[in-house]
Amino acid sequence: MSFETYKDEGDYSYRPDMGLATDVAITNSLQIPLLWPTEFTRDTITLSYDLNWGENSSLKASLYSNTSELYRDESGWSMSPSPRFQAYAGEVTGEAENTGLNLLGETLATGLFAEEEHTFTYGADYVKHDTQYDLAIASGGSKHSEESAKNLAFFIQDKIDFGNGLAVIPGVRHDSYDIDSGTVNNDYSEFSLSLAAEYQFNENLIVKLSSTELFKGPEISEVFVGAGLGDNRNQDIEAETGINTEFSIAYDGEVGTNKTLRLGATIFRTQIDDYIFDNAALPGGAPRETWKDNVGDMTVDGFEAYAGFALDAFSFQLTYSNSESELDAFTQYASLDGARLEREQGDTISADFTYQITAYNLTLNWDFMVVDDVAQGTDLYGADLDNSKDGFTVHNISAHWQPESVPSLHVRLGVDNLFDEFYSSQSSKNGVSFHPVFGELFLMDYEPGRNIKASVSYQF
């Protein structure tokens, strides 16, 4: 059993997911506070159990509950000269509760048909999400919203090893998904199939090919944005389905005395049918009015390649990755045709270098990441004036010392963003957008500069 509790209390900007420039623009335009008293707590409890039964079977069970609570004092809205925004003044409370049960079993069997070996993996996965949001309005009255979603899945797969390097892995999964939200009250069910094959040429070289069907129902909204309060109904929204196909090759072997070479590459294509966009333009609605709807079929193509080498106490790995997405939009959303995912990242090169000074039980590490620019182009919910993204390069160094005389003691020292790079993560809000009330908004949420860190830990 494990229990974890977390509490964060302080004054935060109204839109912490966006850059400070955006919050300043909102503050100046509406004449409201820049910072809002906020409190967030999270409690998590997990119960786990492992069981071995028979000679060749095992079962792992995990039961968990996670409860998060939000409080924010929004009385600052009363400072706005606009009666429209004054009406928002009050206190916000919210809660998100996630509970789940996971069962994962494994059974080994041989010779069901010939001399092949079978590894059966099977189980069930249940998860339930409940959210609620309340606004106690300072001038009187209140607003309330709550949503819930639950999913029950059963699955089984069989890895069939023919003993000659070839293994085939068929699988099947069934999902039953129910949702009651501000957008839709419906239930969905789907069978998903998977098939993979791998061939081990020798102890160093292996290739894999797999294809897996996908299923994902509409999701409930986050508590922070109102848990569905004010969402437009769309009872006809469909679940996302699709297929992911992947091919990989990997080599790991010695190429000399104390010399190890690692090479690998993965290429994939993910096709998502009936892609759900949370901010699709509402047909017949106001210019900025949106709803959640299926807007088209999304395709994501990508690959990753890596090369690593180890010589005695020195090792390094170099990785290159690329991913591109494109929406084939439905007719009613033709303006989104060809759009990419908002959080798409440019081509990325990363490297990791490690050197162990065994005489002093000291490990030195240097890693860096180079991310290329992303050119301006149509995307989903990105900035409407300039959605290009600047590339960046970030270096980190660290040292880990474990003294021989005190083996349970760990001393770590490091510097993140060594050269104090000024950059915004491409996975965060980026670009320049226009708002009819606030004007131009610079959305970039810049990452921390140089950060020096140190820690001392002792394991009893």
Side-chain angles (χ1 to χ4, degrees), residues 96-320:
E97 184 174 7
N98 305 312
T99 55
L101 172 66
N102 178 263
L103 300 174
L104 182 64
E106 184 176 275
T107 297
L108 306 180
T110 58
L112 296 183
F113 305 106
E115 299 299 323
E116 80 286 347
E117 295 183 353
H118 296 260
T119 302
F120 293 96
T121 303
Y122 47 88
D125 191 21
Y126 174 79
V127 61
K128 188 173 188 293
H129 305 287
D130 293 292
T131 60
Q132 66 177 36
Y133 173 94
D134 289 281
L135 170 61
I137 302 173
S139 59
S142 63
K143 292 185 178 181
H144 173 80
S145 180
E146 59 184 56
E147 297 184 314
S148 65
K150 59 183 178 181
N151 189 73
L152 176 62
F154 296 96
F155 56 89
I156 184 171
Q157 74 171 30
D158 178 18
K159 181 177 181 180
I160 309 170
D161 191 335
F162 294 96
N164 57 1
L166 176 65
V168 178
I169 312 169
V172 61
R173 174 186 174 104
H174 182 266
D175 286 270
S176 296
Y177 181 71
D178 296 294
I179 181 172
D180 184 2
S181 71
T183 298
V184 60
N185 182 2
N186 207 345
D187 58 87
Y188 307 82
S189 63
E190 186 77 15
F191 277 101
S192 304
L193 304 177
S194 65
L195 181 63
E198 60 182 45
Y199 188 77
Q200 185 99 32
F201 288 91
N202 50 49
E203 63 180 8
N204 307 119
L205 180 63
I206 187 172
V207 295
K208 298 180 181 180
L209 177 64
S210 65
S211 187
T212 304
E213 291 183 322
L214 309 174
F215 168 80
K216 182 181 178 182
E219 295 182 315
I220 60 177
S221 300
E222 296 182 13
V223 171
F224 195 79
V225 294
L229 182 68
D231 284 359
N232 287 299
R233 298 290 293 180
N234 185 3
Q235 190 61 27
D236 295 327
I237 193 170
E238 299 286 345
E240 295 176 344
T241 57
I243 189 167
N244 180 75
T245 303
E246 185 173 300
F247 172 79
S248 65
I249 182 170
Y251 174 86
D252 189 337
E254 294 185 357
V255 292
T257 305
N258 295 329
K259 298 176 183 178
T260 302
L261 178 66
R262 296 186 301 273
L263 300 171
T266 300
I267 183 171
F268 70 89
R269 164 167 283 195
T270 303
Q271 176 73 37
I272 304 174
D273 299 328
D274 294 316
Y275 181 81
I276 297 174
F277 181 32
D278 288 351
N279 295 280
L282 179 66
R288 298 180 62 85
E289 195 171 7
T290 63
W291 68 344
K292 298 177 182 179
D293 197 18
N294 309 105
V295 295
D297 300 329
M298 178 68 73
T299 301
V300 183
D301 292 315
F303 70 90
E304 179 181 271
Y306 67 87
F309 182 73
L311 172 61
D312 295 327
F314 172 76
S315 64
F316 83 89
Q317 179 162 306
L318 183 68
T319 304
Y320 175 79

Side-chain angles (χ1 to χ4, degrees), residues 26 30 78 228 294 299 337 339 432:
I26 296 174
L30 301 182
S78 62
N294 309 105
T299 301
D337 195 53
V432 182

